[in-house]
Amino acid sequence: MTAFFMVFTACKKDEYFQDSGKHDPAFKGTTMDYLDAVPLYFDSLATVVRLAGMEEVFKSDTLTFFAPTDRSILRLVRELNYSLYYQGYDTIKTLADVPQRIWQKYLQMYMFHGTNELKDYPQIDYNLLNTYPGQGYLSWFGTPMNIGVIYNDDNGVKYVGYRQLTLAWIPDPAKPKDNWIIERIASCNITTYNGVVHTINDNHLYFGFSAYLFISDVIAAQENGG
């Protein structure tokens, strides 16, 4: 079965859970093993990890990983091929048609050094960022991101409800509070032998946050011979 086929079967999967549910937080294996153990949601993601040349990192480095589901890769590939076709470039037939450095560039946006669970992140209120701003972090290769925990309301009482982890991409470091792309975490605190996995809500539109930038990188690669 090719990676391309795995991407496009992702659209047939059952709707993924939208917020945290009960689960066994301890997985007996590495973070790479965990992705391989849940192919219903992460088969294409596991392929991307390998194509990015990051498999050993996911097996041995200490890593906090915000895992996007396969549907974000499916939507990205569809948008990529649509744009490539209408601009006169070669469409991709398998995930391996995208250069390794591009997969690596966008995969690392979800990767962070060290191990952090929900309890380790500060509160964020997107309506009161001056008071509850979450915290800025640099991802694996230094992309500015924000991570925070929403304290939801309950029965009209502010901040006493369930807590939900969020990850946001900061497009312009010179304007660190502008134009964030915010993703909520569906399930958090899966611990592996070498880290922690937080699964992003299945509504995460595009792997890599920006389809436009990803497409631009693929076009540049084609124009420069790969």
Side-chain angles (χ1 to χ4, degrees), residues 48-55 57 98-111 140-141 143 207 214:
V48 166
V49 170
R50 292 184 168 94
L51 290 173
M54 304 291 277
E55 183 175 5
V57 171
V98 174
Q100 180 185 80
R101 67 182 181 277
I102 296 178
W103 284 129
Q104 191 176 93
K105 174 182 176 180
Y106 291 93
L107 175 66
Q108 64 83 32
M109 297 172 75
Y110 304 93
M111 301 166 56
W140 200 261
F141 292 152
T143 300
F207 175 88
F214 190 97

Side-chain angles (χ1 to χ4, degrees), residues 4-16 39-41 43-44 69-75 78 202:
F4 187 75
F5 179 76
M6 287 190 288
V7 168
F8 282 88
T9 56
C11 63
K12 298 180 180 179
K13 297 171 181 175
D14 293 335
E15 190 66 26
Y16 198 59
L40 187 62
Y41 302 114
D43 53 1
S44 296
T69 65
D70 284 352
R71 281 189 178 140
S72 68
I73 300 173
L74 164 67
R75 288 186 284 259
R78 283 178 170 167
D202 204 38

Side-chain angles (χ1 to χ4, degrees), residues 85-119:
Y85 178 80
Y86 281 99
Q87 294 183 61
Y89 295 97
D90 293 335
T91 58
I92 70 165
K93 295 180 174 61
T94 74
L95 296 179
D97 291 337
V98 174
Q100 180 185 80
R101 67 182 181 277
I102 296 178
W103 284 129
Q104 191 176 93
K105 174 182 176 180
Y106 291 93
L107 175 66
Q108 64 83 32
M109 297 172 75
Y110 304 93
M111 301 166 56
F112 297 85
H113 293 275
T115 56
N116 285 290
E117 299 182 13
L118 181 147
K119 64 180 176 59

Side-chain angles (χ1 to χ4, degrees), residues 27-38 42 45-46 49-50 55-67 111 115 190-198:
F27 177 78
K28 295 178 175 60
T30 67
T31 298
M32 192 72 235
D33 293 333
Y34 177 70
L35 299 183
D36 288 333
V38 193
F42 300 134
L45 178 61
V49 170
R50 292 184 168 94
E55 183 175 5
E56 287 305 313
V57 171
F58 278 72
K59 286 182 176 180
S60 59
D61 285 34
T62 304
L63 167 72
T64 296
F65 183 50
F66 288 77
M111 301 166 56
T115 56
I190 298 294
T191 60
T192 69
Y193 288 164
N194 63 307
V196 179
V197 178
H198 308 296

